[in-house]
Amino acid sequence: MDSPTATLLISCPDQQGLVAKFASFIYANGGNIIHADQHTNFEAGLFLSRMEWQLEGFNLSRDMIAPAFAAIAKPLQAVWQVHFSDTIPRVAIWVTKQDHCLLDLLWRWQAKELLADIPLIISNHTTLQAIAQQFGLDFCHLPINKDNKIQQEARQLEVLRQYRIDLVVLAKYMQILTPDFINHFPHIINIHHSFLPAFAGANPYHRAYERGVKIIGATAHYVTADLDEGPIIEQDVARVSHRDTVPDLIRKGKDLERVVLARAVRLHLQHRVLVYGNRTVVFA
Amino acid sequence: MDSPTATLLISCPDQQGLVAKFASFIYANGGNIIHADQHTNFEAGLFLSRMEWQLEGFNLSRDMIAPAFAAIAKPLQAVWQVHFSDTIPRVAIWVTKQDHCLLDLLWRWQAKELLADIPLIISNHTTLQAIAQQFGLDFCHLPINKDNKIQQEARQLEVLRQYRIDLVVLAKYMQILTPDFINHFPHIINIHHSFLPAFAGANPYHRAYERGVKIIGATAHYVTADLDEGPIIEQDVARVSHRDTVPDLIRKGKDLERVVLARAVRLHLQHRVLVYGNRTVVFA
Amino acid sequence: MDSPTATLLISCPDQQGLVAKFASFIYANGGNIIHADQHTNFEAGLFLSRMEWQLEGFNLSRDMIAPAFAAIAKPLQAVWQVHFSDTIPRVAIWVTKQDHCLLDLLWRWQAKELLADIPLIISNHTTLQAIAQQFGLDFCHLPINKDNKIQQEARQLEVLRQYRIDLVVLAKYMQILTPDFINHFPHIINIHHSFLPAFAGANPYHRAYERGVKIIGATAHYVTADLDEGPIIEQDVARVSHRDTVPDLIRKGKDLERVVLARAVRLHLQHRVLVYGNRTVVFA
Amino acid sequence: MDSPTATLLISCPDQQGLVAKFASFIYANGGNIIHADQHTNFEAGLFLSRMEWQLEGFNLSRDMIAPAFAAIAKPLQAVWQVHFSDTIPRVAIWVTKQDHCLLDLLWRWQAKELLADIPLIISNHTTLQAIAQQFGLDFCHLPINKDNKIQQEARQLEVLRQYRIDLVVLAKYMQILTPDFINHFPHIINIHHSFLPAFAGANPYHRAYERGVKIIGATAHYVTADLDEGPIIEQDVARVSHRDTVPDLIRKGKDLERVVLARAVRLHLQHRVLVYGNRTVVFA
């Protein structure tokens, strides 16, 4: 499975023959499909698909795949993306002071669980600068306060452009991004430290403790202008009891946060997540 | 373990020597403790305990246990209850039209998983009357509409008194009880079809679908005047995906509802749940 | 989604163009695919697929689908089955004395979670005969001892033929079937009361207790001549602790057994399970 | 809760009055119990208890606690240990080439989730030497082959003595220790990469794949002379499907291994684990 592959992610209005048309496009050009997943949302009348095939032996050059597929996609009003497995996405990790999600992502990156280039950590504090050094990453310190947020976001966008970043991962970045920033750079994954929509907003573990819940959770989602309301990619939970204090909930929550965020980032990097409306299809 | 036992449930302001005092009370009277659980909530300065011991060989007659323990408890400002394992609690199950929780509870009751007398089903519909017959239970049909709610609640209270009911289990009873009713009969367990506090209120499965969550849940809680805000006894969750339609969520949710409600009722009947503030200690 | 559908389950040696060929067969005949799932096992060089499409508007009559598809399948050396959603499979449930799996299946059947005809319960004891009556099913009592097993299995096969049974569900049937019986009737699902391959064989809960495991499980699998070694369809687990006695493990295990068996039977009835070698693909 | 505490772990033949006696010992000497847990195993006739109390205000000096308690324990034939929360256990982590468990333990140690001194990593390879440097730990390289095992184990014991190690954590140490070594140093926790007793022995992920299980697991246990048969401290599981290849199982398994091992080590370091026979009581 080591030869490079192409992946198509497609959404279009549902109609007959879509699987046949898309699969035939690949087959007619000599491609060998290794994964094909479809989902039809009948209420929305929407067909969503992910197809991955080996580029070895494929008759179309990489440059030609997009224009050739566009000819099929256009009459179907399909929205689509094509990705090549050896075009490695570039990721910037944003942090504040907590290191658990950052370290977990970097370990998985070193262990080749995350196929990405990670050239850069951005932070509003310098607390985690040493980790950047240790992993040989650039560290961009952009402190945020009430007065400089707009200017610093402009600076952040510039840095993302400069490093040709494809994906921002908010790995416990404790600042809210403005809708304007998100419009300019819509590829952002965040980890929220609760089982959304429970305990949206601040201090979820304190509130979980006060409410006396028996299970806590974490949620990885794409960031949209509506805080804590973006499309959910992954969630997981852990059982707690009356014996767990707030620090216990925070400690158990950290374990959830790291695995949930790592799974979401991996799914995204493998082009397994399709957003429609405020929901996701995860072709896992 | 078949000889009868006594169980003390105690809450009191924390201070030194409580375990020793309570355990010595039992030992000094010849009792053999078979379960002793304690929990100290340091913020609240509260000590909570459950002690269960064999009545065989205990030197105090059942009548004398409460007055004897009161002498110890009073100076400690303890709130406490004593229960005997062979005093079987009497339970009324309230339903509307859905049978899954009702059938599950009755099957567990027959299988001796729930040590209770269940003489009565109360419903605002007649849909499940046949189940009452099949299990040899009385069925009390009290239809509710906007105009008769107060009168019918008065009638419900009368029925509960008449049948000497200790615990009401709302097993998908789709009516809201008035604060007045709850004041008069505060021993009520409800099953909520979501992972509270997410999706409190109506139609949680539809809203979970629309939010695109990856996990759904169910919550069993004591009923208080604040709708869906009572102390949580038990919760559980199940993984869902984009493939799950609203009917799938409802189907998977039913499986959660029945086990979560059954576990909560069993814990309550075994006197393992202590409420403090709006939280519970579950000595499981 | 209520119009009838056809489902193809296909296994064949992997090669290029399979998705395109199979999907095109359906599209060319005017079918609307509502679910298409594929899996390629690269080590085995095997392609496995499930395609479901609406029969309304399909140009081939039901009788013609098999021969038409055979023409495509033969040169590909495909093994395949076609099922129609309104051809309801006929199921016999086999039990001994325990009722929890039987009742659970029958509830789900009444709640329309299991699309099957269930005309018959077979048992080597009469303990559960009343349940057959209650649900209006025939009850076939075939006691087994060391001397009569062969004759009784012949009788069982006759009964299965007579009732035109498609699937046998061993819902806590505490007898081992002979390889000869399994050869004659290979469509059998069993529930094993452990997380196989842990604690294969007898008394798994006692052995789990003795081993001090912190998690117990249950396994639903197709029955093969190798006891407890057939292809696994579904498994689930529950956490236990030192507080759980053997009866507690049995009680918690019963909850696992009923949901695991019910899920496996539902997956099978929806033609979502493909066996290859001793493994299954579950298109869930 | 930051003042130092003492913890008693006690096993003794069950009899009346044990809770009262042990709690009274603490109370009579002015101690404030902050956690008291008991468990009675009725088959074994065994009482097991963990009591933790604040040393501040306790009338017995630390030196006097053991002799004073021995006077109570001896007539009861109790086996017991006393620990002080500010006497930090010293841990050596043993590894071979895989870093995931090691890094996870060291990160938790830095995050103060594990209250231990970790002065030393021992390995039969040099692969992970850089991690020792990064965390400022000594690294002891003791390569093992068929001929030198006995000598190297002698050397290992010497190193453990020299560093005054209390606990050895086998964090993917891929060598089997001899019974003789285990006799000399019986405080060893191992992580096994399967849900024991399923797939004891080598290559559990390959065997799990071949068996087609739907759930994989990991097990942390104390090491005894019987390979993979020691008392289980903690287990956890993850769901897998036909889509998961052996490398996927290994990747998912690594996530299980690190959390299961970390939880077991934390429980041990907090003196929450009591071994009896081949089982554990975990006072979590």
Side-chain angles (χ1 to χ4, degrees), chain A:
Chain A
M1 279 307 81
D2 291 315
S3 87
T5 62
T7 299
L8 268 171
L9 283 176
I10 312 165
S11 317
C12 68
D14 192 27
Q15 58 168 269
Q16 276 188 25
L18 293 172
V19 180
K21 279 176 189 166
F22 297 144
S24 296
F25 165 74
I26 295 164
Y27 178 48
N29 290 295
N32 189 27
I33 292 175
I34 58 173
H35 294 297
D37 265 303
Q38 285 81 35
H39 177 63
T40 308
N41 182 303
F42 293 102
E43 295 118 64
L46 210 59
F47 174 88
L48 306 116
S49 180
R50 179 185 185 277
M51 299 217 180
E52 183 173 359
W53 70 96
Q54 292 173 309
L55 284 167
E56 202 180 310
F58 198 57
N59 297 330
L60 295 175
S61 69
R62 294 183 185 212
D63 287 357
M64 289 305 300
I65 292 174
F69 188 72
I72 291 163
K74 204 175 177 188
L76 301 170
Q77 295 174 274
V79 177
W80 56 277
Q81 323 153 28
V82 65
H83 300 279
F84 302 110
S85 64
D86 52 6
T87 303
I88 308 297
R90 291 174 66 80
V91 174
I93 305 179
W94 292 30
V95 294
T96 293
K97 292 178 175 179
Q98 288 181 283
D99 65 2
H100 57 287
C101 286
L102 173 62
L103 281 172
D104 200 78
L105 290 169
L106 293 176
W107 292 343
R108 290 178 197 274
W109 175 56
Q110 283 197 332
K112 312 230 180 299
E113 289 188 18
L114 301 177
L115 281 180
D117 285 334
I118 305 182
L120 177 68
I121 294 170
I122 294 183
S123 182
N124 53 333
H125 287 268
T126 54
T127 318
L128 304 180
Q129 187 151 17
I131 293 174
Q133 274 172 318
Q134 176 193 327
F135 284 85
L137 313 183
D138 291 351
F139 187 86
C140 176
H141 177 223
L142 291 168
I144 308 281
N145 58 45
K146 278 188 177 168
D147 301 325
N148 72 359
K149 188 159 207 163
I150 303 300
Q151 300 98 288
Q152 291 297 62
E153 285 198 343
R155 179 79 189 104
Q156 285 164 347
L157 280 175
E158 200 183 302
V159 171
L160 296 181
R161 255 190 306 265
Q162 183 186 326
Y163 280 83
R164 290 170 293 115
I165 296 301
D166 299 299
L167 176 71
V168 163
V169 177
L170 305 182
K172 307 297 292 175
Y173 181 68
M174 307 310 273
Q175 291 286 327
I176 294 167
L177 302 172
T178 66
D180 195 52
F181 180 91
I182 297 163
N183 275 339
H184 280 86
F185 193 91
H187 307 291
I188 309 172
I189 293 175
N190 183 45
I191 180 70
H192 186 81
H193 41 326
S194 89
F195 181 75
L196 288 175
F199 309 118
N203 291 324
Y205 294 120
H206 291 78
R207 289 154 62 211
Y209 177 83
E210 278 153 28
R211 184 63 188 90
V213 292
K214 302 302 185 188
I215 287 173
I216 58 167
T219 304
H221 62 93
Y222 289 113
V223 173
T224 61
D226 286 329
L227 190 65
D228 297 337
E229 292 290 335
I232 293 170
I233 306 167
E234 172 65 345
Q235 301 188 293
D236 212 341
V237 293
R239 199 160 267 275
V240 297
S241 82
H242 61 273
R243 295 187 188 274
D244 290 298
T245 61
V246 172
D248 290 325
L249 299 191
I250 291 171
R251 177 174 51 79
K252 292 185 172 182
K254 279 159 63 177
D255 275 10
L256 288 174
E257 292 164 21
R258 6 187 245 177
V259 296
V260 169
L261 180 58
R263 279 187 218 144
V265 170
R266 181 177 155 95
L267 290 166
H268 176 93
L269 292 174
Q270 295 185 331
H271 313 296
R272 294 186 180 279
V273 190
L274 246 173
V275 175
Y276 68 105
N278 203 44
R279 312 175 79 238
T280 60
V281 167
V282 177
F283 292 118

Side-chain angles (χ1 to χ4, degrees), chain D residues 216-244:
Chain D
I216 58 168
T219 304
H221 62 94
Y222 289 113
V223 173
T224 60
D226 286 329
L227 188 66
D228 298 337
E229 293 290 335
I232 293 171
I233 306 167
E234 171 66 344
Q235 301 188 292
D236 211 343
V237 293
R239 199 161 266 276
V240 296
S241 82
H242 61 272
R243 295 186 188 275
D244 290 298

Side-chain angles (χ1 to χ4, degrees), chain D residues 91-132:
Chain D
V91 175
I93 305 179
W94 291 30
V95 294
T96 293
K97 293 179 174 176
Q98 288 182 283
D99 65 3
H100 58 286
C101 285
L102 174 63
L103 282 171
D104 200 76
L105 289 169
L106 293 176
W107 171 76
R108 290 178 198 273
W109 175 54
Q110 284 197 332
K112 312 228 179 300
E113 288 189 16
L114 301 178
L115 281 181
D117 285 335
I118 305 182
L120 177 69
I121 295 170
I122 294 184
S123 183
N124 53 333
H125 287 266
T126 55
T127 318
L128 304 180
Q129 187 152 17
I131 294 173

